[in-house]
Amino acid sequence: GDSVTQMEGPVTLSEEAFLTINCTYTATGYPSLFWYVQYPGEGLQLLLKATKADDKGSNKGFEATYRKETTSFHLEKGSVQVSDSAVYFCALSLTGANSKLTFGKGITLSVRP
Amino acid sequence: DAGVIQSPRHEVTEMGQEVTLRCKPISGHDYLFWYRQTMMRGLELLIYFNNNVPIDDSGMPEDRFSAKMPNASFSTLKIQPSEPRDSAVYFCASRQGLSYNEQFFGPGTRLTVL
């Protein structure tokens, strides 16, 4: 079945450090890929997405590139801020009218001042 | 738009009681999803609807859980009878149209069953 695998967490970084969060996927079809973020006490919200191979999604300084050859969608940011502390979820959705999101387990990022 | 609205935001109840969680999706969205989040199990999809019709309820834990969507602007998730292991944060989300569109989440209902 379809699945998303995220690197184990939690991750703790100092402010202005470089961030990489790994995500790989297995899909029976041709998926769209997403990163969602959950700030403390809130629901998830879309951070970025990519709908086809080699697409790069970007938002708020975060980037991720859809790599079909390695079935990956790693999240990167050049300089993290304390306000980036949150839980990050990688997800996929297959093309189709009644498709749903398949989420990874999420990873907690803590950024120290 | 006000976003996805959930009520109540917090619910504390005793084991054996009936619990009803409510959700109002974003106007014009034709998909509605119910999720449960716990530390142990992470984020789980319980059930989702398209145009008020349940599409997939394979994530519903057991017969104690039921969900309805009587119209396009309202859905309920009911637990009867509730048990301590049902304690979790329950999220409702809605989406308009195709699978690559954004899913919008509500703020969640934190349920504690004593």
Side-chain angles (χ1 to χ4, degrees), chain A residues 19-30:
Chain A
L19 169 71
T20 299
I21 302 177
N22 290 341
C23 171
T24 58
Y25 68 89
T26 302
T28 52
Y30 194 29

Side-chain angles (χ1 to χ4, degrees), chain B residues 49-67:
Chain B
F49 297 83
N50 176 218
N51 290 322
N52 315 334
V53 175
I55 301 299
D56 183 352
D57 65 354
S58 60
M60 296 286 263
E62 49 199 274
D63 291 346
R64 297 185 298 105
F65 286 68
S66 63

Side-chain angles (χ1 to χ4, degrees), chain A:
Chain A
D2 305 320
S3 66
V4 174
T5 302
Q6 292 185 233
M7 59 185 278
E8 294 286 327
V11 173
T12 301
L13 296 173
S14 296
E15 201 165 25
E16 299 184 0
F18 183 84
L19 169 71
T20 299
I21 302 177
N22 290 341
C23 171
T24 58
Y25 68 89
T26 302
T28 52
Y30 194 29
S32 295
L33 301 173
F34 306 80
W35 278 100
Y36 278 78
V37 59
Q38 184 179 27
Y39 297 103
E42 299 182 10
L44 283 70
Q45 56 186 270
L46 180 66
L47 180 60
L48 53 84
K49 71 178 184 182
T51 58
K52 61 183 188 294
D54 300 324
D55 267 2
K56 178 185 284 188
S58 61
N59 186 24
K60 299 181 180 180
F62 291 88
E63 293 182 340
T65 301
Y66 188 167
R67 301 287 188 200
K68 187 178 178 183
E69 63 276 12
T70 54
T71 62
S72 65
F73 194 54
H74 305 321
L75 183 68
E76 296 182 337
K77 187 175 185 183
S79 176
V80 294
Q81 305 300 312
V82 172
S83 58
D84 294 327
S85 298
V87 182
Y88 292 81
F89 293 89
C90 186
L92 69 82
S93 182
L94 293 180
T95 303
N98 285 327
S99 187
K100 60 186 180 182
L101 280 172
T102 298
F103 284 96
K105 292 187 176 181
I107 185 169
T108 299
L109 170 66
S110 298
V111 181
R112 300 179 300 222

